[in-house]
Amino acid sequence: MNSRSCICVSAMKPCCRFLISFKSSSLFGFSPPNSGRLINSSKLHCTKIGSRSIRSGVHCRRNAFSDSDSISFGERSRVFKARGSISSSSRGRGCSRGVLLIPRVASDFRNHSSSSLDSHVNDNKRFESMFVKPLVFKDVEKSEEIFKKESGNGGGKDTNFGNVGVRRETERGSSQTEDDKEAWKLLRGAVVNYCGFPVGTVAAKDPGDKQTLNYDQVFIRDFVPSAYAFLLDGEGAIVRNFLLHTLQLQSWEKTVDCHSPGPGLMPASFKVKSAPLEGNDGSFEEFLDPDFGGSAIGRVSPVDSGLWWIILLRAYGKLTGDYTLQERVDVQTGIKLILKLCLADGFDMFPTLLVTDGSCMIDRRMGIHGHPLEIQALFYSALRCAREMLIVNDGTKNLVAAVNNRLSALSFHIREYYWVDIKKINEIYRYNTEEYSADATNKFNIYPDQIPTWLVDWIPDKGGYFIGNLQPAHMDFRFFTLGNLWAVISSLGSQEQNEGVMTLIEEKWDDLVANMPLKICFPALEKEEWRIITGSDPKNTPWSYHNGGSWPTLLWQFTLACIKMGKLELAKKAVAVAEKRLKEDEWPEYYDTKSGRFVGKQSRLYQTWTIAGFLASKKLIEQPEKASLLFWEEDYQLLETCVCGLSKSSGRKNKCSRFQPPRS
């Protein structure tokens, strides 16, 4: 009989310990003892036994938990040998599903919070009770049923994942083009397995790449289009695994130069690594090694990771019908921790999130520090997702109220101050400056001379867009595609504004799409502006990479926005443009030049989110009814009430802009 369990090995300072008590579960890949056991959750490892190399298929053994009730810093847990071993290369039978994870345990954030949200996130008794009740594991058996339906292997390990894809390709038959078939093959080839089951996809698998850097890791933002492609193709297990594993990584202690960010921070990426076990010849252990920004270029933490995680969690429930995952206590706690980090009190007077440069998809210096549209649009989307998924009770009602208040304030702020069209540009052109008044027109003291010369001729008579950034005396008039698309998808913009964004893209097709959809931003920074803002970044030269490069991965988000706005033909047109070149060009990460004619000079080939973005777009076009599950319509309740902090009893006249009469 095979003993199936995971080995808890601490290679970091333990965050905390907790007591678990649960039934036998194939989701965790082992049959645990009946009694509760105190274990350390700082790091999870899976031991593999065998004389062959890992890539050639080492044997997999799940060992029992260490009897030690604690693991000190730098120590490794005692490993108990178990009878039997099973090859990880075997399909369906053999090793069970593998070690998914133990419930995510938060760091001791109670001692590090000054936010008003503490009362509903940090209650000690409620927090401790989350991790001692068997309730956390009640949906484990349901997860097994979901896996059985997908893989058809009777509950075996997720190594059958590739066969599932082959079976679905056979079912689709002639409906697939050659490009589609190659793309699915490449996407499945990019899947990363941990202890024998899929947990994500690597960023790229370029066979000619001699320096992989971090492209061999699983990035949260990069996996999202892969997840959507798999979900739309009826494969949910890999997405569920990914969500739960990244949730467990959230609890890790994160320290850079003696400073630790909030416990809600999600990693930018993680990598599955292996190491030989000491004193056990031929034995290996697999473990997940996350990067929270400590190894990233510029050492910037990924603000968007937690937002993408919440968005993907909702999409998983919508497309699979499995809402038990988001109802789990550990998942609910993960959502709360992310919200606590985003809703924390600060110095800012506005509802937008204040971030540093490079904290999102544009992860290099590009002058987006402050309140970039991309972060605000994802923030708004994540808040709407969280509001749907949070279980409302006495412990969460204050948090739900805070989410509602922020949604209302954020939507008004973006619609009022970020939106520009030809009428608004002309209004800014005539602004008075240095206005000291609560009812000033030029609230941010924007100087009319900031209006760039390119914008005067570029802005069409019809349509408009949301600017890239807004700060005191500064408006970034560049068009950032991802932020505008998610403003449409999430209804951050009004119906009229959303239509205006799509109209502008149509009007400026040759600038934003041309030979390859879509420009990450327009226009590029050039000459002295490029030197000052990017610091003379040799990778972000004009019309390359983040500086006006064309990114095919944006295609799926464009498709989703088009379907929402009733412009399916426009999405088909963009997909057709991409399909002419992607396979021939070997699925590059990005394209260079103003019209996107050249493959990017430093572009990785066989970039996974390029492949996945193309496939997700095709699936959305094939199944537009499913797209309706992934976007949001206008929430009129948010428009009915004002959450202005100036109360009627304050003795001050309420000057909320929401109820000011429109200016002629």
Side-chain angles (χ1 to χ4, degrees), residues 328-350:
R328 285 172 53 140
V329 176
D330 55 335
V331 174
Q332 287 282 309
T333 305
I335 297 172
K336 294 173 192 175
L337 286 171
I338 296 172
L339 292 178
K340 174 183 176 293
L341 197 61
C342 294
L343 299 174
D345 296 332
F347 292 101
D348 213 330
M349 290 290 291
F350 302 104

mmCIF file of all heavy atoms in Angstrom, residues 328-350:
data_model
loop_
_atom_site.group_PDB
_atom_site.id
_atom_site.type_symbol
_atom_site.label_atom_id
_atom_site.label_comp_id
_atom_site.label_asym_id
_atom_site.label_seq_id
_atom_site.Cartn_x
_atom_site.Cartn_y
_atom_site.Cartn_z
ATOM 1 N N ARG A 328 -14.462 28.327 0.429
ATOM 2 C CA ARG A 328 -13.571 27.773 1.443
ATOM 3 C C ARG A 328 -13.097 28.858 2.401
ATOM 4 O O ARG A 328 -12.903 30.010 2.011
ATOM 5 C CB ARG A 328 -12.340 27.134 0.776
ATOM 6 C CG ARG A 328 -12.606 25.807 0.106
ATOM 7 C CD ARG A 328 -11.404 25.343 -0.684
ATOM 8 N NE ARG A 328 -10.179 25.323 0.095
ATOM 9 C CZ ARG A 328 -9.256 24.367 0.027
ATOM 10 N NH1 ARG A 328 -9.444 23.349 -0.788
ATOM 11 N NH2 ARG A 328 -8.163 24.439 0.734
ATOM 12 N N VAL A 329 -12.895 28.475 3.641
ATOM 13 C CA VAL A 329 -12.473 29.449 4.645
ATOM 14 C C VAL A 329 -11.106 30.024 4.317
ATOM 15 O O VAL A 329 -10.875 31.230 4.470
ATOM 16 C CB VAL A 329 -12.465 28.799 6.050
ATOM 17 C CG1 VAL A 329 -11.937 29.788 7.083
ATOM 18 C CG2 VAL A 329 -13.862 28.348 6.425
ATOM 19 N N ASP A 330 -10.178 29.181 3.868
ATOM 20 C CA ASP A 330 -8.848 29.698 3.560
ATOM 21 C C ASP A 330 -8.871 30.629 2.356
ATOM 22 O O ASP A 330 -8.159 31.637 2.319
ATOM 23 C CB ASP A 330 -7.848 28.556 3.344
ATOM 24 C CG ASP A 330 -8.293 27.564 2.286
ATOM 25 O OD1 ASP A 330 -9.509 27.443 2.039
ATOM 26 O OD2 ASP A 330 -7.425 26.883 1.705
ATOM 27 N N VAL A 331 -9.725 30.340 1.374
ATOM 28 C CA VAL A 331 -9.835 31.205 0.205
ATOM 29 C C VAL A 331 -10.495 32.530 0.584
ATOM 30 O O VAL A 331 -10.065 33.602 0.147
ATOM 31 C CB VAL A 331 -10.618 30.496 -0.919
ATOM 32 C CG1 VAL A 331 -10.870 31.445 -2.086
ATOM 33 C CG2 VAL A 331 -9.850 29.267 -1.406
ATOM 34 N N GLN A 332 -11.540 32.448 1.400
ATOM 35 C CA GLN A 332 -12.178 33.675 1.879
ATOM 36 C C GLN A 332 -11.179 34.556 2.637
ATOM 37 O O GLN A 332 -11.158 35.779 2.481
ATOM 38 C CB GLN A 332 -13.358 33.324 2.791
ATOM 39 C CG GLN A 332 -14.580 32.775 2.071
ATOM 40 C CD GLN A 332 -15.394 33.855 1.391
ATOM 41 O OE1 GLN A 332 -15.753 34.866 1.986
ATOM 42 N NE2 GLN A 332 -15.690 33.657 0.111
ATOM 43 N N THR A 333 -10.341 33.922 3.436
ATOM 44 C CA THR A 333 -9.329 34.681 4.179
ATOM 45 C C THR A 333 -8.309 35.302 3.230
ATOM 46 O O THR A 333 -7.869 36.437 3.427
ATOM 47 C CB THR A 333 -8.613 33.770 5.191
ATOM 48 O OG1 THR A 333 -9.583 33.162 6.035
ATOM 49 C CG2 THR A 333 -7.639 34.564 6.041
ATOM 50 N N GLY A 334 -7.935 34.573 2.173
ATOM 51 C CA GLY A 334 -7.011 35.129 1.189
ATOM 52 C C GLY A 334 -7.569 36.360 0.513
ATOM 53 O O GLY A 334 -6.858 37.346 0.294
ATOM 54 N N ILE A 335 -8.859 36.325 0.173
ATOM 55 C CA ILE A 335 -9.506 37.492 -0.427
ATOM 56 C C ILE A 335 -9.446 38.675 0.536
ATOM 57 O O ILE A 335 -9.132 39.807 0.158
ATOM 58 C CB ILE A 335 -10.970 37.171 -0.791
ATOM 59 C CG1 ILE A 335 -11.045 36.075 -1.856
ATOM 60 C CG2 ILE A 335 -11.683 38.430 -1.281
ATOM 61 C CD1 ILE A 335 -12.458 35.578 -2.128
ATOM 62 N N LYS A 336 -9.760 38.412 1.807
ATOM 63 C CA LYS A 336 -9.769 39.489 2.807
ATOM 64 C C LYS A 336 -8.379 40.110 2.979
ATOM 65 O O LYS A 336 -8.248 41.327 3.130
ATOM 66 C CB LYS A 336 -10.259 38.945 4.150
ATOM 67 C CG LYS A 336 -11.699 38.496 4.161
ATOM 68 C CD LYS A 336 -12.021 37.823 5.492
ATOM 69 C CE LYS A 336 -13.357 37.113 5.444
ATOM 70 N NZ LYS A 336 -13.625 36.366 6.689
ATOM 71 N N LEU A 337 -7.352 39.285 2.937
ATOM 72 C CA LEU A 337 -6.002 39.811 3.107
ATOM 73 C C LEU A 337 -5.605 40.726 1.950
ATOM 74 O O LEU A 337 -4.956 41.756 2.145
ATOM 75 C CB LEU A 337 -5.005 38.655 3.233
ATOM 76 C CG LEU A 337 -5.008 37.904 4.565
ATOM 77 C CD1 LEU A 337 -4.144 36.659 4.470
ATOM 78 C CD2 LEU A 337 -4.535 38.800 5.688
ATOM 79 N N ILE A 338 -5.981 40.339 0.725
ATOM 80 C CA ILE A 338 -5.691 41.185 -0.425
ATOM 81 C C ILE A 338 -6.453 42.502 -0.316
ATOM 82 O O ILE A 338 -5.911 43.588 -0.555
ATOM 83 C CB ILE A 338 -6.052 40.459 -1.737
ATOM 84 C CG1 ILE A 338 -5.168 39.219 -1.922
ATOM 85 C CG2 ILE A 338 -5.891 41.399 -2.934
ATOM 86 C CD1 ILE A 338 -5.587 38.333 -3.085
ATOM 87 N N LEU A 339 -7.725 42.415 0.074
ATOM 88 C CA LEU A 339 -8.529 43.620 0.220
ATOM 89 C C LEU A 339 -7.975 44.521 1.318
ATOM 90 O O LEU A 339 -7.953 45.747 1.189
ATOM 91 C CB LEU A 339 -9.978 43.251 0.530
ATOM 92 C CG LEU A 339 -10.758 42.557 -0.591
ATOM 93 C CD1 LEU A 339 -12.159 42.208 -0.119
ATOM 94 C CD2 LEU A 339 -10.817 43.422 -1.836
ATOM 95 N N LYS A 340 -7.538 43.904 2.413
ATOM 96 C CA LYS A 340 -6.969 44.680 3.516
ATOM 97 C C LYS A 340 -5.755 45.472 3.044
ATOM 98 O O LYS A 340 -5.574 46.640 3.396
ATOM 99 C CB LYS A 340 -6.569 43.759 4.659
ATOM 100 C CG LYS A 340 -5.830 44.461 5.804
ATOM 101 C CD LYS A 340 -5.400 43.466 6.855
ATOM 102 C CE LYS A 340 -4.591 44.169 7.942
ATOM 103 N NZ LYS A 340 -3.309 44.678 7.448
ATOM 104 N N LEU A 341 -4.933 44.843 2.203
ATOM 105 C CA LEU A 341 -3.744 45.507 1.681
ATOM 106 C C LEU A 341 -4.136 46.676 0.769
ATOM 107 O O LEU A 341 -3.518 47.743 0.799
ATOM 108 C CB LEU A 341 -2.898 44.496 0.915
ATOM 109 C CG LEU A 341 -1.450 44.838 0.607
ATOM 110 C CD1 LEU A 341 -0.657 45.042 1.878
ATOM 111 C CD2 LEU A 341 -0.822 43.731 -0.242
ATOM 112 N N CYS A 342 -5.169 46.479 -0.041
ATOM 113 C CA CYS A 342 -5.576 47.506 -1.001
ATOM 114 C C CYS A 342 -6.391 48.624 -0.364
ATOM 115 O O CYS A 342 -6.355 49.769 -0.836
ATOM 116 C CB CYS A 342 -6.400 46.867 -2.124
ATOM 117 S SG CYS A 342 -5.492 45.720 -3.165
ATOM 118 N N LEU A 343 -7.154 48.300 0.684
ATOM 119 C CA LEU A 343 -8.047 49.274 1.294
ATOM 120 C C LEU A 343 -7.461 49.923 2.538
ATOM 121 O O LEU A 343 -8.156 50.640 3.259
ATOM 122 C CB LEU A 343 -9.381 48.609 1.656
ATOM 123 C CG LEU A 343 -10.183 48.029 0.491
ATOM 124 C CD1 LEU A 343 -11.405 47.281 0.998
ATOM 125 C CD2 LEU A 343 -10.593 49.119 -0.479
ATOM 126 N N ALA A 344 -6.192 49.653 2.807
ATOM 127 C CA ALA A 344 -5.564 50.201 4.006
ATOM 128 C C ALA A 344 -5.573 51.729 3.976
ATOM 129 O O ALA A 344 -5.426 52.354 2.922
ATOM 130 C CB ALA A 344 -4.130 49.690 4.123
ATOM 131 N N ASP A 345 -5.737 52.306 5.158
ATOM 132 C CA ASP A 345 -5.714 53.773 5.256
ATOM 133 C C ASP A 345 -4.330 54.308 4.894
ATOM 134 O O ASP A 345 -3.310 53.674 5.179
ATOM 135 C CB ASP A 345 -6.061 54.218 6.679
ATOM 136 C CG ASP A 345 -7.482 53.842 7.063
ATOM 137 O OD1 ASP A 345 -8.314 53.741 6.157
ATOM 138 O OD2 ASP A 345 -7.736 53.636 8.260
ATOM 139 N N GLY A 346 -4.307 55.460 4.260
ATOM 140 C CA GLY A 346 -3.036 56.069 3.888
ATOM 141 C C GLY A 346 -3.157 57.572 3.828
ATOM 142 O O GLY A 346 -4.103 58.161 4.347
ATOM 143 N N PHE A 347 -2.208 58.220 3.173
ATOM 144 C CA PHE A 347 -2.191 59.670 3.078
ATOM 145 C C PHE A 347 -2.983 60.198 1.879
ATOM 146 O O PHE A 347 -3.249 61.382 1.788
ATOM 147 C CB PHE A 347 -0.746 60.173 2.964
ATOM 148 C CG PHE A 347 0.057 59.970 4.218
ATOM 149 C CD1 PHE A 347 0.949 58.924 4.325
ATOM 150 C CD2 PHE A 347 -0.090 60.833 5.297
ATOM 151 C CE1 PHE A 347 1.703 58.737 5.473
ATOM 152 C CE2 PHE A 347 0.645 60.651 6.444
ATOM 153 C CZ PHE A 347 1.551 59.599 6.541
ATOM 154 N N ASP A 348 -3.307 59.309 0.960
ATOM 155 C CA ASP A 348 -3.895 59.767 -0.289
ATOM 156 C C ASP A 348 -5.302 60.312 -0.082
ATOM 157 O O ASP A 348 -6.085 59.764 0.698
ATOM 158 C CB ASP A 348 -3.951 58.613 -1.298
ATOM 159 C CG ASP A 348 -3.774 59.095 -2.724
ATOM 160 O OD1 ASP A 348 -4.164 60.242 -2.993
ATOM 161 O OD2 ASP A 348 -3.258 58.343 -3.555
ATOM 162 N N MET A 349 -5.621 61.362 -0.802
ATOM 163 C CA MET A 349 -6.944 61.989 -0.730
ATOM 164 C C MET A 349 -7.929 61.381 -1.724
ATOM 165 O O MET A 349 -9.108 61.717 -1.711
ATOM 166 C CB MET A 349 -6.822 63.489 -1.012
ATOM 167 C CG MET A 349 -6.133 64.283 0.081
ATOM 168 S SD MET A 349 -7.147 64.413 1.560
ATOM 169 C CE MET A 349 -8.470 65.474 0.967
ATOM 170 N N PHE A 350 -7.445 60.491 -2.573
ATOM 171 C CA PHE A 350 -8.290 59.985 -3.645
ATOM 172 C C PHE A 350 -8.426 58.469 -3.552
ATOM 173 O O PHE A 350 -7.602 57.788 -2.936
ATOM 174 C CB PHE A 350 -7.719 60.403 -4.999
ATOM 175 C CG PHE A 350 -7.601 61.904 -5.128
ATOM 176 C CD1 PHE A 350 -6.370 62.524 -5.012
ATOM 177 C CD2 PHE A 350 -8.723 62.680 -5.329
ATOM 178 C CE1 PHE A 350 -6.263 63.904 -5.109
ATOM 179 C CE2 PHE A 350 -8.625 64.062 -5.427
ATOM 180 C CZ PHE A 350 -7.399 64.674 -5.317
#
